[in-house]
Amino acid sequence: MKISLNWLRDFVDFDESPEEIAEILTFLNFECEGIETIKRYVDGVVVGKVLESVPHPNADKLQLTRVDVGGEVLPIVCGAPNCREGLIVPVATVGTQIGEFTIDARKLRGEMSQGMILSEAEMKISENHGGILELGAGFKVGDDFSKVVPAEDAVLEFEITVNRPDALSHIGIARELAAYWGRPLKLPSFDVQESSSRKVADELTIDIDAPEQCPRYVGRKVTGVTVMDSPLWMKARLASIGQRPISNVVDITNYILFELGQPLHAFDADQIKDGHIVVRMANEGEKFVTLDDKPRKLVASDLMIADPEKGVALGGVMGGANSEVTDATKDVIIEAAYFDPPTIRKTAKRLGLPSEASRRFERGADPGMQPNAAARCAELFRLHAGAEVLQGQVDAHPAPVARPPVSYRPQRAGVVLGFDVPKDDAVKVFQSLEFGVEDKGETVVVTPPSWRHDIEREIDLVEEVARHVGYDKVPTAESSRVVLSSEDPPLERMLDTAVDTMVALGFREANCSAMTSGEDHEAFAGGLKPYVINRPINPEMSVYRASLIPGLLRVVEHNLNRGFEDVFLFEAGQVGGEGWLETDGGQRLHLGFAMVGNWIPQAYDRDGEAVDLAEVKTVLNELARGLTLDLPLRFDYTTPDNLMLGVKLLSEDGSLTGVAGQLKPELAARFGIDRPVYVGEIDIERWVKPVAGELRLPGIRGGYQRFSRFPANVRDVAFVVPLSTPAEDVRGALLEHSSELLEDVVLFDLYKGKPLASDERSLAFRATFRAPDRTLTDDDIDPIIKGMIGSAEKLNGVRLRG
Amino acid sequence: MKDIAAVSSQDTLEEVRVRYIGRKGSIAELFKQMGKIDPSIRGEFGKTLNMLKNDATAQIEAMARELEQAETLAGYDPTLPARPIAQGSYHPITLIEREVKRIFTRMGFAIKRGPEVEDVWHNFDALNTPDWHPSRDETDTLYLADIPNMLLRTETSPVQIRTMQAQKPPIRIVAPGRVFRNDKPDPTHSPMFTQLEGLYVDKGVTFADLKGTVLQFYRHLLGKNVVTRFRPHFFPFTEPSAEVDVSCPFCGGDGCRVCKHSGWIEVGGSGMVDPNVLETVGIDPEIYTGWAFGLGIERMTMLLYGVDDIRLFYENDIRFLSQFGGRR
């Protein structure tokens, strides 16, 4: 909302600078978003009369004039096509600044010129460049032009929050300032000289068939309208706030809208059958041509302003082409109505027709303003459109809008704000804002004025008090209690630990879009009914992600394309899908990672080592260790979907909680990745199974284990194992023949090649033995080892390697 | 002994060793003379000879070690660079989110989380958002296609509602998380970003508490000299509502490029929880009051690190991510 300070001065006196006004209003809820200074000219523009205008001897398009500027006659060269003898014009004299340009005495094509005759555009009154401004009669030669149009204006643009439509006008802003300063608010005159002897009541009937949608409709009528330019001061003010002046009829209604906040509509009275206005709901499918000449198809919730035969305006949204005021219009019916906000909102939104008028109606106009606005409009038509005003008005007011009184307890401000506002101070605020106040001792009963539809509850009054007393008066507390009962979600710390672990493992944390394409969803969570986004921003964002992998793969591709070769990324975040609604409330928390290239990077004296499945398992192991989960991890070794090779991670209860492994090359290729890429994704909540309030120590689970201080005995044992027999089975067999003394069995060497057959390999295990109370001897260990070997050799094709 | 000191290589040291303590070396020769020595001093002679042998052996061994070390060092260039290892890094959003979390945790706030896919009731209705409020429009909010009244949450405020439904006052929480808007990505807009909201509901909670807590939070985050100011505003779920500005931590409020020469930076919204919101979740606004506030993690991260394009956070270019590798 733009506010012209010149205009604002009509309603409240002030000497404060534009910057001070901006600051004051910003701290009253109206944030100033910009200050623009409009310099039309700097001093020295006077009213002049062209005494003589003859063609320039040396230029076709120029005129030599002599202009009387009051006590002096100046020679001026003028290029305007409308320059002629007898015109009354604004003249910039030598030394006057117009925009960036300072008028000086100079010769133009050999002829002296001591000034410049100005156009409207040159003074930023309108965009009319067509010629010099013809002031006409009523201006005195020699007068300072600033009495007509001030040399300067300052325009402040404010953000008006949706709860304060009353501030969408100069009066509304002036009212806040007047209240703040304690200065009087000067309303414009609503007196109207009803110069015609005819009576509105004889010529205009208003029937409201839809009182809920149109609680009030005020009509006035003027006759003998001449459509022409608006007065300069009005044009200048409209131009200041960015409104293009059009004609007096349009400008006057517009002017009142920005002055009082009341939208008006002017009908050509001859087009309203029988002078009978009917306010009714549109018929479903009713056709109507709005004044932008577009045919519209209406629905039953649209409000129609009609005459007995036809619709003439779409109430509160746009007038009709059939009743528009034209150059031929003589009589005008002025509409000043109050419309129900949701009705207007619905129509304006459906038709995509937001306007300054609908914006005010849909947020709530002042239901008390209609008679005054109509009167002011009629008077301006009389003054500036040569009209006669008919006697009286028609005020159809079937459903007065109530503003119920609100009780205010003075101590309530203290409860909410944290400091006591004396009752008298609060009352002063209410009175300055023109609220009705009735002091009942314990409470103050406040009746909001018609324009303040936002005042419905006591808290609304507390806010008014806080706003006008000033938020800076509210103390800043220096201490605050701590709530002892609140606890973090059980997973919060575990999730931070998981992130810390991944970072420590050399992964970079990514933050990918939670919206993905349908194809990505199909590829990585096919089978799960997705959360599909209605009207997505683009097709790449049409589904809420159910997997972190596609996002990570896009980041991998991005970085590979930028020359990085070792790319290790992870993300922890929410995923979801409709298919999980029953089981998980639709959402899960996943941790995903992607690995490409060398985990141990190549160096100047060392080759890098390409990552493989064993290292993917390292990541899972280290994550589990970081999260103090039980090791060893449990896997299902059937290859997961989408993976060329990989494992399924099982939780302690055996349910699937994650997958990891090498992505199928054709799937990698779909993401533009041309080399082996390893990925993993874990349902971390299911894996960790956090329990609220459960003791969960960091570091290790279940506490410290006493360890033996006696030395370990180590035995290495190698087997020839067919490729078809998993290493884990051999290790399992070794462990199966377990003993209290066996501490661990670790695969420490793997060999393929001669002299072994091509379908065999050698697996060497290192077994560690230790006793809690003594140093072990070969006699202790030999029988155990023998048993272990026997156990392993029971596996198909496994034999001790000699 | 001079011969030992004079050797310069393993080979010559070996020669010296053979010459003196070898089986045919000069000390061995002397031992052979033992029989010819006067028996009265033979014991003494033998002792001395042993000492000589031990001493020589020790010196030769020491020399051998020295030579070996010198050889190793000769091949060593201490200016060779460190070998690289895989470098992990935190996403900058995580870094600032954790920083914010840490400050609030210290001030006695619990962390709460909620679903990113929310229902209309938690996201709008319970937060006192009028039916007609523009934020409900599809032009602002992303709704699900197949399930009515479900959406991608537009703020983390639904977590406040969920917490107040689940727990009686006193409540003192912060809720970080992702939120979504129907915005086309550009340098300052993203359809997805991270918010953090705080809520404090108890008997006797006031606007003064809000001002105090917010001020202290920003002092912890931005330095002890910053000041805050509260400007009236309108939000459906709070009343009175305020926008929070913080004095520019870069210029101390004198005006610079970061604060657009105003000396102030707008950092978030806040206000006293609207009584309608409390009533909706079954908390009596006559007994309890509360405040809420929110801030944008991306915005704060951009401000603090000087990141000038929000899209960098989601592009995840390693040249960007790798700059945030420092640990704390």
Side-chain angles (χ1 to χ4, degrees):
Chain A
M1 169 75 194
K2 285 186 171 176
I3 295 290
S4 146
L5 292 197
N6 285 344
W7 195 340
L8 197 65
R9 254 180 252 276
D10 284 2
F11 310 121
V12 62
D13 292 329
F14 59 88
D15 296 322
E16 283 79 359
S17 68
E19 289 74 20
E20 287 170 290
I21 303 279
E23 173 96 357
I24 290 167
L25 285 164
T26 292
F27 284 88
L28 285 173
N29 190 53
F30 310 104
E31 186 177 357
C32 182
E33 295 178 320
I35 301 176
E36 183 193 356
T37 305
I38 296 175
K39 277 199 163 54
R40 299 200 153 86
Y41 51 85
V42 179
D43 298 334
V45 173
V46 294
V47 176
K49 181 175 186 180
V50 182
L51 300 178
E52 186 186 285
S53 180
V54 296
H56 192 295
N58 306 323
D60 287 350
K61 289 185 175 168
L62 296 181
Q63 296 272 311
L64 295 185
T65 70
R66 290 195 313 116
V67 181
D68 180 0
V69 293
E72 201 182 351
V73 176
L74 302 174
I76 296 177
V77 176
C78 179
N82 62 334
C83 182
R84 59 190 190 275
E85 201 177 298
L87 286 184
I88 305 290
V89 290
V91 179
T93 51
V94 169
T96 293
Q97 222 180 304
I98 303 286
E100 298 299 301
F101 179 67
T102 303
I103 308 293
D104 54 4
R106 62 161 77 181
K107 281 193 168 174
L108 288 170
R109 301 258 176 141
E111 296 294 333
M112 178 52 78
S113 184
Q114 294 182 2
M116 181 176 170
I117 306 175
L118 299 168
S119 71
E120 289 190 9
E122 278 153 352
M123 290 185 289
K124 297 174 187 154
I125 292 170
S126 77
E127 290 165 10
N128 185 359
H129 284 278
I132 51 175
L133 169 55
E134 300 180 22
L135 292 172
F139 292 88
K140 201 167 149 254
V141 171
D143 264 7
D144 185 348
F145 189 68
S146 69
K147 288 181 194 159
V148 184
V149 174
E152 259 188 57
D153 199 355
V155 177
L156 276 53
E157 182 154 20
F158 295 100
E159 180 196 350
I160 306 296
T161 52
V162 289
N163 61 328
R164 291 298 304 274
D166 64 293
L168 288 167
S169 66
H170 282 75
I171 277 289
I173 292 293
R175 184 176 279 123
E176 284 287 336
L177 285 170
Y180 177 81
W181 284 320
R183 296 175 197 165
L185 178 73
K186 301 178 293 177
L187 290 173
S189 167
F190 298 125
D191 292 340
V192 51
Q193 201 178 313
E194 292 165 339
S195 48
S196 166
S197 56
R198 286 150 60 185
K199 292 193 173 72
V200 176
D202 296 338
E203 301 183 22
L204 177 64
T205 320
I206 298 170
D207 282 324
I208 299 183
D209 291 349
E212 200 183 306
Q213 288 75 15
C214 177
R216 189 172 204 181
Y217 195 111
V218 170
R220 272 199 179 257
K221 190 171 175 183
V222 295
T223 178
V225 168
T226 309
V227 177
M228 56 185 179
D229 268 17
S230 304
L232 285 174
W233 60 266
M234 185 182 285
K235 282 190 188 180
R237 285 182 172 185
L238 288 171
S240 280
I241 62 166
Q243 296 293 315
R244 195 162 57 90
I246 294 165
S247 72
N248 53 354
V249 175
V250 176
D251 293 351
I252 286 167
T253 54
N254 230 357
Y255 185 82
I256 292 172
L257 180 145
F258 289 106
E259 180 177 77
L260 305 176
Q262 171 66 48
L264 301 170
H265 188 65
F267 294 103
D268 182 335
D270 291 342
Q271 308 306 321
I272 308 294
K273 170 121 173 115
D274 303 335
H276 186 182
I277 282 179
V278 181
V279 183
R280 59 169 171 82
M281 302 314 288
N283 301 315
E284 190 72 38
E286 187 171 347
K287 291 198 172 72
F288 182 67
V289 179
T290 42
L291 53 73
D292 54 4
D293 288 327
K294 291 203 173 118
R296 313 270 177 185
K297 204 171 156 192
L298 305 184
V299 297
S301 59
D302 295 329
L303 187 64
M304 190 90 257
I305 313 299
D307 69 11
E309 289 178 342
K310 62 187 183 296
V312 293
L314 201 46
V317 177
M318 198 181 251
N322 58 11
S323 56
E324 196 180 351
V325 173
T326 65
D327 289 352
T329 300
K330 287 290 158 235
D331 291 2
V332 167
I333 292 170
I334 300 164
E335 165 200 291
Y338 176 81
F339 297 119
D340 170 53
T343 304
I344 303 306
R345 197 177 304 127
K346 220 179 284 172
T347 301
K349 195 173 153 186
R350 184 174 55 80
L351 297 176
L353 280 176
S355 65
E356 292 289 351
S358 69
R359 193 169 154 217
R360 284 161 179 79
F361 283 130
E362 65 184 43
R363 293 183 185 189
D366 172 2
M369 183 56 88
Q370 289 72 34
N372 284 342
R376 179 140 172 82
C377 184
E379 181 67 3
L380 291 178
F381 271 111
R382 189 183 70 78
L383 291 171
H384 305 297
E388 301 278 323
V389 180
L390 270 67
Q391 303 273 327
Q393 63 174 14
V394 178
D395 183 359
H397 200 178
V401 176
R403 292 271 179 264
V406 182
S407 282
Y408 173 80
R409 292 164 295 174
Q411 79 278 8
R412 191 65 190 166
V415 169
V416 174
L417 302 176
F419 82 118
D420 291 327
V421 179
K423 183 164 85 177
D424 290 351
D425 291 5
V427 165
K428 218 175 281 170
V429 169
F430 299 147
Q431 284 170 337
S432 71
L433 288 165
E434 300 175 57
F435 292 10
V437 177
E438 197 186 338
D439 190 341
K440 293 202 165 172
E442 294 276 290
T443 62
V444 177
V445 176
V446 178
T447 308
S450 57
W451 55 87
R452 289 301 300 272
H453 76 106
D454 60 315
I455 305 293
E456 294 171 330
R457 302 170 299 159
E458 187 179 37
I459 192 70
D460 301 324
L461 294 170
V462 172
E463 179 181 51
E464 291 305 289
V465 169
R467 221 163 46 85
H468 274 271
V469 170
Y471 281 12
D472 58 330
K473 300 289 188 307
V474 177
T476 301
E478 290 183 354
S479 70
S480 189
R481 280 168 293 170
V482 169
V483 174
L484 303 171
S485 56
S486 287
E487 57 186 25
D488 293 352
L491 194 61
E492 187 71 20
R493 204 173 60 178
M494 302 300 274
L495 196 63
D496 282 354
T497 305
V499 170
D500 290 341
T501 306
M502 292 304 288
V503 171
L505 287 171
F507 285 74
R508 297 196 185 279
E509 187 185 14
N511 192 339
C512 302
S513 173
M515 291 171 280
T516 183
S517 68
E519 296 85 61
D520 285 357
H521 177 87
E522 274 311 302
F524 288 91
L528 177 76
K529 192 156 192 251
Y531 278 143
V532 178
I533 295 162
N534 198 28
R535 296 161 76 171
I537 294 165
N538 61 49
E540 300 305 306
M541 297 186 174
S542 57
V543 171
Y544 180 79
R545 66 179 177 186
S547 166
L548 301 176
I549 301 298
L552 287 169
L553 290 175
R554 298 207 182 284
V555 179
V556 166
E557 186 252 3
H558 173 95
N559 284 295
L560 291 177
N561 283 345
R562 275 145 194 87
F564 291 97
E565 294 184 335
D566 305 331
V567 180
F568 288 71
L569 294 160
F570 79 101
E571 180 176 14
Q574 281 192 23
V575 295
E578 193 182 333
W580 289 335
L581 263 174
E582 296 294 312
T583 48
D584 303 77
Q587 303 252 221
R588 290 180 178 181
L589 193 57
H590 278 191
L591 185 142
F593 59 88
M595 310 166 83
V596 174
N598 301 326
W599 201 2
I600 296 176
Q602 181 270 334
Y604 48 85
D605 59 350
R606 161 185 95 186
D607 287 338
E609 220 166 282
V611 67
D612 68 10
L613 185 63
E615 270 146 349
V616 174
K617 288 171 78 178
T618 308
V619 174
L620 299 177
N621 270 338
E622 293 311 307
L623 255 180
R625 209 185 304 279
L627 294 168
T628 68
L629 301 178
D630 280 350
L631 283 168
L633 295 174
R634 295 183 56 185
F635 294 111
D636 171 343
Y637 292 102
T638 55
T639 308
D641 296 344
N642 296 330
L643 300 187
M644 191 174 87
L645 61 121
V647 295
K648 291 175 178 163
L649 178 66
L650 305 180
S651 70
E652 284 160 26
D653 64 13
S655 63
L656 181 68
T657 61
V659 294
Q662 185 183 351
L663 197 66
K664 283 183 177 159
E666 63 269 26
L667 204 49
R670 240 199 59 199
F671 286 85
I673 302 169
D674 57 358
R675 55 196 101 175
V677 50
Y678 289 81
V679 295
E681 183 162 30
I682 301 165
D683 180 339
I684 194 136
E685 196 155 5
R686 232 159 255 249
W687 198 34
V688 173
K689 286 207 176 39
V691 178
E694 179 199 47
L695 172 67
R696 192 142 194 171
L697 292 168
I700 47 170
R701 193 165 176 186
Y704 145 80
Q705 303 285 318
R706 188 165 300 168
F707 59 92
S708 166
R709 292 185 181 274
F710 291 91
N713 285 46
V714 170
R715 291 290 180 89
D716 292 347
V717 53
F719 297 96
V720 176
V721 180
L723 291 180
S724 58
T725 304
E728 187 59 25
D729 287 3
V730 182
R731 184 172 172 270
L734 294 172
L735 284 169
E736 205 169 84
H737 188 85
S738 137
S739 147
E740 292 278 291
L741 304 177
L742 178 60
E743 199 173 73
D744 203 4
V745 175
V746 175
L747 177 71
F748 80 95
D749 188 60
L750 185 153
Y751 173 77
K752 280 188 221 172
K754 301 238 149 121
L756 303 176
S758 63
D759 61 350
E760 290 179 334
R761 60 192 162 157
S762 156
L763 300 175
F765 294 90
R766 177 161 293 165
T768 307
F769 299 90
R770 202 194 302 263
D773 52 353
R774 63 197 163 96
T775 302
L776 295 175
T777 64
D778 286 351
D779 291 343
D780 294 316
I781 295 164
D782 287 344
I784 305 174
I785 274 287
K786 214 171 159 194
M788 288 168 72
I789 292 167
S791 168
E793 281 183 331
K794 277 188 203 134
L795 292 170
N796 196 18
V798 174
R799 62 178 193 278
L800 190 67
R801 193 171 176 210
Chain B
M1 296 299 144
K2 272 185 192 160
D3 287 341
I4 296 175
V7 301
S8 59
S9 75
Q10 299 281 10
D11 293 348
T12 47
L13 184 68
E14 181 59 15
E15 275 173 34
V16 172
R17 195 188 65 79
V18 170
R19 190 171 343 132
Y20 294 101
I21 56 174
R23 271 193 294 142
K24 290 177 179 169
S26 45
I27 292 175
E29 286 303 317
L30 287 174
F31 272 112
K32 284 179 188 160
Q33 309 296 317
M34 281 283 277
K36 299 170 188 165
I37 295 294
D38 179 346
S40 66
I41 57 164
R42 191 179 293 156
E44 193 62 24
F45 179 79
K47 221 188 244 172
T48 308
L49 211 51
N50 262 327
M51 272 172 63
L52 179 68
K53 186 186 176 186
N54 289 345
D55 200 23
T57 307
Q59 285 205 41
I60 284 166
E61 276 171 4
M63 195 62 197
R65 270 200 304 278
E66 213 170 286
L67 284 169
E68 203 177 294
Q69 266 173 30
E71 213 159 89
T72 313
L73 288 175
Y76 194 75
D77 177 359
T79 69
L80 283 175
R83 290 191 192 89
I85 59 164
Q87 288 174 330
S89 55
Y90 292 92
H91 196 278
I93 296 301
T94 300
L95 291 174
I96 296 303
E97 184 184 304
R98 283 192 175 188
E99 193 71 7
V100 171
K101 252 165 59 173
R102 193 177 58 82
I103 294 167
F104 278 109
T105 302
R106 195 167 71 195
M107 297 201 286
F109 285 75
I111 316 280
K112 291 287 175 208
R113 302 256 178 197
E116 289 169 9
V117 179
E118 257 296 357
D119 56 60
V120 167
W121 191 85
H122 282 95
N123 196 80
F124 288 127
D125 300 350
L127 290 159
N128 199 36
T129 316
D131 287 344
W132 50 266
H133 200 275
S135 65
R136 287 178 181 258
D137 289 352
E138 284 208 319
T139 48
D140 283 35
T141 298
L142 294 161
Y143 287 86
L144 294 190
D146 303 333
I147 316 174
N149 296 319
M150 290 280 279
L151 45 74
L152 303 193
R153 68 178 175 192
T154 58
E155 52 214 1
T156 47
S157 320
V159 184
Q160 299 183 13
I161 300 298
R162 288 179 179 278
T163 306
M164 288 191 285
Q165 284 181 301
Q167 186 186 335
K168 291 281 148 231
I171 294 168
R172 205 165 149 88
I173 59 156
V174 286
R178 291 176 169 212
V179 299
F180 302 84
R181 305 276 166 89
N182 193 354
D183 280 330
K184 291 244 180 331
D186 70 24
T188 55
H189 293 87
S190 167
M192 178 189 87
F193 57 99
T194 317
Q195 240 188 13
L196 181 133
E197 287 192 341
L199 172 75
Y200 179 25
V201 180
D202 198 354
K203 290 175 187 159
V205 174
T206 68
F207 201 137
D209 280 311
L210 169 65
K211 284 183 71 175
T213 309
V214 169
L215 173 66
Q216 287 312 319
F217 163 69
Y218 280 110
R219 288 192 166 172
H220 287 308
L221 186 69
L222 303 175
K224 65 179 164 60
N225 294 320
V226 301
V227 291
T228 47
R229 66 175 191 187
F230 288 71
R231 277 184 289 110
H233 199 72
F234 172 76
F235 303 114
F237 39 91
T238 51
E239 182 161 357
S241 301
E243 284 197 308
V244 183
D245 296 337
V246 59
S247 60
C248 180
F250 300 101
C251 62
D254 295 338
C256 65
R257 209 173 51 86
V258 178
C259 60
K260 299 196 185 83
H261 304 281
S262 72
W264 295 95
I265 296 171
E266 193 179 313
V267 286
S270 68
M272 299 303 293
V273 180
D274 194 290
N276 285 352
V277 174
L278 293 176
E279 268 168 22
T280 300
V281 294
I283 294 174
D284 185 347
E286 280 296 305
I287 301 172
Y288 294 102
T289 48
W291 56 249
F293 88 99
L295 69 116
I297 300 288
E298 274 81 352
R299 185 175 153 63
M300 194 52 66
T301 308
M302 290 171 84
L303 188 71
L304 289 171
Y305 291 120
V307 175
D308 55 6
D309 190 332
I310 195 170
R311 293 170 297 188
L312 285 165
F313 293 127
Y314 320 109
E315 187 186 44
N316 299 298
D317 192 302
I318 290 177
R319 291 166 293 186
F320 177 73
L321 297 180
S322 61
Q323 296 183 31
F324 300 91
R327 306 277 193 277
R328 51 161 305 124

